[in-house]
Structures are given as structure tokens and as C-alpha cells.
Amino acid sequence: MWLRTSCDLSFEIAVPTPFVLMLRPRSGAQQWIAREEYKLVPNVSALEFTDDYGNLCQRLIAPPGFFSVHTAAEVRTADEVDREPGAPFVEVQLLPDFTLRYLLPSRFCESDRFGQMATEITESFSPGYDQVAAIETWLRYNIAYLPGTSDIPVSAVEVNLRRSGVCRDLSHLGIALCRSLSIPARMVVGYLYGLQPMDMHAWFEAFVAGRWYTFDATQETLHAGYVAIGYGRDAADVAVYNQFGPAVFPIDHQVRVQLLDPDEL
């Protein structure tokens, strides 16, 4: 399927303010970026770099006054989300080097605190994909998804105590549970076609049977339309923007995802 994604951010800047943005999706196994737009007003200079997780990031200094960022992309995504029940667990000694960082506890995913809980949730399931699917199902029915209720990331431990959270929070708990079973898991942020209410979205991926698979406890069933922007250990690695100095908050934030007719491209 073909999608057009867009994100518009506007700020009122009091003093010159350094930003690091992460708003450009990259092509990969599940998506192809056919066309992009990236507009800064005023048109300040920006330097792009690739971070430790392969994400495309842009550094700039926003001048005082009105400042806005507009990004858009036309993306071809998979027609359905891959599911692979029964896909086997990969023993730690056989994991690729690049997955090992996603086994360790991180700032918002305290996997060292969830060993017993994860074992209880998955005790009747085969090691690997089926364990992660069991975690996803447990999250869906035990942690209330309440979009728009929090702007501040909270850790997996706190989410488990609260029994509610936004998409980012459910992902943190899912990641922590997977890692406690020695299954690499990572946070993904991006767009989801049909999301209500529309906003940036977060989900998680787990590494089984030699590849990454998508899991999302906020959706009743997984469907096509995911467009990834960033990957990382948890929310600390995948913020769509970081600013430094006096706090700045968007005065406007618009996210859109439209289905495109491939015959009109």
C-alpha cells in the first residue's frame, strides 16, 4: 500500500535554541521512501547525521521568533504485517552482534525486574514468537491504552503499577518483558494509518527466527500501515525532536497519514 505521511511542528523561540530532529523515515525491508519534503521556516542551515541506531537525524539552531518544521513522505509499505506463529527463539550465543544491546535493561525498560512476571505470562507458550505474542495479548487486556493522557515517558515498572498508559508506555512494558526472556526487543516510533486519534505512534519489535517482527498492544489486531521513523532501546532514543536550553513546547503539532492511489503516483 502507498501512504503519504506528514508532520508539522511550530514553535515560538525566545533565544537561539539547538534542536536535534528525527523526522525522516528511511527505506528498509518493510518500507520504501519514494518521495520526501523537508521544509524549515525560516530556512536555517541543518546538518544531517546517522545515529548509533541507524536513524536519520538533523541538527540545527532555531532563531528567536516563529519557527516551523514541515516533513512529508510518500511511502510504499507492506500490504500486511508479517506474523510467524511458532517462529523459534534464537539462543543468545547465536544472536547477531547488532541485537545484543536490545537484551539489556535501559532507562525506561528495566528488564531485570520482570523475569518472574514474564515467565508466568508465557509459561504455556513455545519459546520465541509465541512468547512475544502472549506478552502482546497480555498487555492488550491488562494495561489500558489511554491515548493523549501523558506527555512524559514513564518506565515499564511504573506502567505495570499504573495499569494504563499511552502507546509508548505499553511498548516499554512489552520490551522489558521480552528482554527478561532473553529476546531482543526495541522501540519503534513513526506513523500508523488509521490511528485514532491521529498522532505519532510507538510500537515494539522483537527479534526471533533471525529477524525483527512487529508487535503493537494498542491495536485490537495488527494491520498494514506502519511507517517507521526511528528505532532505539526505549523512548529516550526515539524522540522526534530534542531541544536544548530553556524549555520550548510546540504551539501547533499536526500529524497526517493518507492512503494514496498507486495509479495516480
Side-chain angles (χ1 to χ4, degrees):
M1 65 190 305
W2 282 90
L3 299 172
R4 177 179 171 84
T5 64
S6 65
C7 177
D8 290 273
L9 295 167
S10 300
F11 303 88
E12 282 291 344
I13 306 296
V15 298
T17 300
F19 275 80
V20 177
L21 306 172
M22 191 173 66
L23 287 166
R24 284 190 62 203
R26 61 178 185 181
S27 295
Q30 301 299 314
Q31 62 188 37
W32 174 256
I33 313 306
R35 186 175 297 127
E36 287 186 85
E37 301 170 16
Y38 204 122
K39 184 177 181 181
L40 304 172
V41 177
N43 188 21
V44 299
S45 61
L47 175 66
E48 184 162 82
F49 68 97
T50 302
D51 70 11
D52 291 343
Y53 305 96
N55 304 314
L56 300 175
C57 304
Q58 303 81 42
R59 299 178 61 176
L60 58 86
I61 298 177
F66 178 79
F67 177 69
S68 69
V69 182
H70 165 77
T71 66
E74 292 181 3
V75 187
R76 184 175 184 177
T77 67
D79 290 332
E80 58 184 37
V81 177
D82 289 346
R83 303 290 260 173
E84 196 63 41
F89 172 83
V90 181
E91 295 183 4
V92 172
Q93 65 268 31
L94 301 178
L95 285 168
D97 293 346
F98 66 83
T99 67
L100 297 180
R101 70 176 72 186
Y102 300 113
L103 286 175
L104 303 176
S106 58
R107 177 178 175 184
F108 294 112
C109 299
E110 311 99 321
S111 51
D112 53 331
R113 305 281 296 276
F114 287 97
Q116 181 177 345
M117 180 176 167
T119 299
E120 291 172 355
I121 291 171
T122 64
E123 61 184 350
S124 61
F125 296 88
S126 299
Y129 186 97
D130 293 352
Q131 288 179 311
V132 186
I135 289 168
E136 179 188 49
T137 299
W138 185 91
L139 291 168
R140 187 173 290 126
Y141 293 108
N142 290 275
I143 308 296
Y145 171 49
L146 302 176
T149 57
S150 173
D151 292 328
I152 301 173
V154 295
S155 75
V157 168
E158 189 171 353
V159 175
N160 191 44
L161 292 172
R162 288 184 179 185
R163 294 290 162 139
S164 66
V166 298
C167 55
R168 172 189 61 234
D169 304 330
L170 272 69
S171 294
H172 281 156
L173 184 50
I175 290 167
L177 289 164
C178 289
R179 290 180 187 168
S180 72
L181 297 171
S182 297
I183 297 174
R186 65 184 182 181
M187 172 82 84
V188 191
V189 69
Y191 301 93
L192 175 58
Y193 174 66
L195 182 67
Q196 295 295 333
M198 181 53 68
D199 202 343
M200 287 294 184
H201 190 51
W203 60 97
F204 71 97
E205 294 182 344
F207 191 88
V208 294
R211 56 160 291 187
W212 295 104
Y213 286 92
T214 294
F215 296 89
D216 186 353
T218 72
Q219 304 300 299
E220 201 58 41
T221 58
L222 284 187
H223 57 83
Y226 288 86
V227 177
I229 292 177
Y231 302 87
R233 294 165 299 177
D234 56 34
D237 297 327
V238 295
V240 295
Y241 76 86
N242 284 298
Q243 57 88 198
F244 303 88
V248 175
F249 302 98
I251 58 174
D252 188 41
H253 178 197
Q254 299 291 328
V255 176
R256 300 177 182 84
V257 184
Q258 301 168 279
L259 183 64
L260 300 178
D261 183 346
D263 294 332
E264 296 179 1
L265 294 174

